[in-house]
Amino acid sequence: MWEHPLKIILIVLLAAMTISAAHAQSLPGGFVYLRDIDPTIIQDIRYATSNNFVGRPLAGYNAGECVVKREVGLRLKVVQQELAAQNLSLKMLDCYRPARASVDMVRWSQNGRETAAERRYNPTIPKTELFRLGYIASRSQHSTGAALDLTLVDLKADISTKIDPSKMYADCTAAAEARLPEGSVDMGTGYDCTDVKGHTAAPSINPDQRAWRKRLVAAMARQGFVNYSKEWWHFSLPGAGGAAYDFPIQPRH
């Protein structure tokens, strides 16, 4: 049967709109993939890999994608634009966290085992104490889509160093050249370092490290993000959260 060309075009457009809507609805509650807001922001979602304090991907992290509430993503885009003018970039380490991942963390902290690799992240605090001291929570702000873990990358620096599985790295409080490579500026500790040195205002870090932390906090604060004092890498956007979610992070299409 012959179809008018205009009718064919309309059918194709309608199909494309239907597919687009299906993709847009794949994330609930106003969530978006950060790459759809700003693909220039570097992502290294640690809990989708074995490069984290648990040593394996966490439950619900089926893809290394930063998922956030739309308002959060739009504000991060503004931060990134400001940093880009200084040859810097944000680097996302964790964004939305499925509630099941928080439960996974709590179970890990209570499993009765503690390996040398795990101690790199917790050099002075037993893992059984992490929940009581507020480093691990059964309900995380991350599950609302309004909390983030991130750092800064100097775009002029060489960040190509990869993790050597055969190397015995020092703990997260050691000098940058001795601990696990972060691919970012030297903030004084590695990411997820449960130690007083990881506190944002820790007095034990050097002036350059302190300057980087202040620079990150200031850049985020200009867009309304608040830092958590025990973790220089953790920020949240007041009022943008709400209910906690438990949908898994899937690959972006």
Side-chain angles (χ1 to χ4, degrees), residues 46-47 51-53 93 117-125 130 134-136 149 170-175 179-180 182 187-200 202 204-205 213 228-234:
R46 296 288 183 84
Y47 298 145
N51 182 20
N52 58 59
F53 67 92
L93 301 168
E118 291 172 350
R119 295 294 293 175
R120 284 201 297 255
Y121 293 89
N122 316 302
T124 60
I125 303 172
L130 298 178
Y135 289 104
I136 291 178
D149 294 342
D171 70 58
C172 59
T173 65
R179 63 180 188 256
L180 281 163
E182 294 282 333
M187 291 288 190
T189 75
Y191 169 53
D192 262 351
C193 188
T194 50
D195 186 87
V196 292
K197 197 174 180 181
H199 294 187
T200 309
S204 54
I205 58 176
R213 291 188 187 188
Y228 175 46
S229 63
K230 284 189 175 182
E231 299 174 346
W232 59 256
W233 54 85
H234 180 96

Side-chain angles (χ1 to χ4, degrees), residues 128-136 230:
T128 54
E129 292 293 292
L130 298 178
F131 183 82
R132 183 180 67 82
L133 294 174
Y135 289 104
I136 291 178
K230 284 189 175 182

Side-chain angles (χ1 to χ4, degrees), residues 94-169:
D94 192 33
C95 301
Y96 159 74
R97 180 184 305 165
R100 70 193 73 179
S102 295
V103 174
D104 199 3
M105 287 181 180
V106 174
R107 286 176 181 157
W108 165 85
S109 72
Q110 299 170 349
N111 66 13
R113 300 186 303 274
E114 196 151 18
T115 67
E118 291 172 350
R119 295 294 293 175
R120 284 201 297 255
Y121 293 89
N122 316 302
T124 60
I125 303 172
K127 64 191 286 186
T128 54
E129 292 293 292
L130 298 178
F131 183 82
R132 183 180 67 82
L133 294 174
Y135 289 104
I136 291 178
S138 57
R139 184 189 184 279
S140 171
Q141 277 187 307
H142 282 275
S143 298
T144 71
L148 312 155
D149 294 342
L150 48 80
T151 187
L152 291 174
V153 173
D154 182 349
L155 297 176
K156 304 186 303 299
D158 180 7
I159 56 171
S160 61
T161 303
K162 303 298 182 185
I163 295 175
D164 180 354
S166 66
K167 185 174 179 179
M168 293 296 294
Y169 291 100

